Amino acid sequence: AGVIYIFVVIWLNALLAYKLVKLNNNGKGPSRGAADNELVYFAIKISLLCLISTCSIIVLTSCITLINMGMVTSPHFKLVAFSVLPIFDLHTNFFSILFTFRHFDPWYQRMCGCCHRRCVGTPQKHPAANPEMMSKQQTETQQSRSEVS
């Protein structure tokens, strides 16, 4: 049952990454609007947090599986696998959920900002974290709407 669970979690993360790639390559190029930038930011954020949670559960279930199969008999390994890793996994999942909220975006940037910038490919911060960038993007969006009208 644990192997099936891990497979399903990995499959869901792969589907999320696939959707992210499709969203990022939707043909609009680098001149996306503010709403698209916000959507790409959120998709990358969710994808990274899911990846971190998935790695945590894989480490936990792998260690417990090794113990249950009798491959590891060390009492120290068992102590870590049955007491430390579940707490680590719980905290990882808690912070992953917490960081999805906009209020905790500065903390997300501190903890995962380096990976996020690598996924985006630009060193820019989230527009909501920078009021000047947000107002600039809103002005560009309004100008492009007025040009269409």
Side-chain angles (χ1 to χ4, degrees):
V3 175
I4 293 172
Y5 175 73
I6 290 175
F7 177 74
V8 169
V9 169
I10 291 171
W11 181 251
L12 288 174
N13 284 330
L15 286 175
L16 182 63
Y18 174 75
K19 288 287 188 181
L20 176 63
V21 168
K22 289 297 237 181
L23 178 69
N24 203 17
N25 296 330
N26 60 2
K28 292 185 179 180
S31 60
R32 286 189 286 252
D36 286 341
N37 285 340
E38 182 78 19
L39 188 60
V40 169
Y41 176 84
F42 187 72
I44 291 172
K45 182 181 199 180
I46 294 297
S47 181
L48 281 174
L49 294 173
C50 283
L51 178 67
I52 292 167
S53 293
T54 302
C55 290
S56 173
I57 193 72
I58 288 173
V59 167
L60 175 66
T61 55
S62 298
C63 289
I64 291 175
T65 302
L66 289 174
I67 291 171
N68 288 338
M69 291 175 63
M71 297 178 138
V72 178
T73 58
S74 168
H76 299 98
F77 189 83
K78 289 180 180 180
L79 175 71
V80 170
F82 288 120
S83 61
V84 176
L85 288 180
I87 293 171
F88 176 75
D89 183 53
L90 178 72
H91 281 87
T92 302
N93 291 328
F94 173 75
F95 285 117
S96 292
I97 292 169
L98 197 67
F99 287 160
T100 59
F101 295 104
R102 189 176 298 234
H103 179 76
F104 296 100
D105 205 48
W107 282 99
Y108 169 77
Q109 286 295 330
R110 284 187 197 127
M111 303 292 270
C112 307
C114 179
C115 294
H116 188 96
R117 285 187 294 276
R118 287 179 183 232
C119 289
V120 173
T122 60
Q124 298 175 353
K125 284 188 173 181
H126 180 260
N130 188 348
E132 294 173 8
M133 185 185 298
M134 187 69 147
S135 64
K136 180 181 174 186
Q137 286 184 351
Q138 287 174 348
T139 305
E140 290 173 358
T141 304
Q142 290 172 352
Q143 288 175 349
S144 64
R145 287 181 184 165
S146 64
E147 290 173 3
V148 171
S149 301

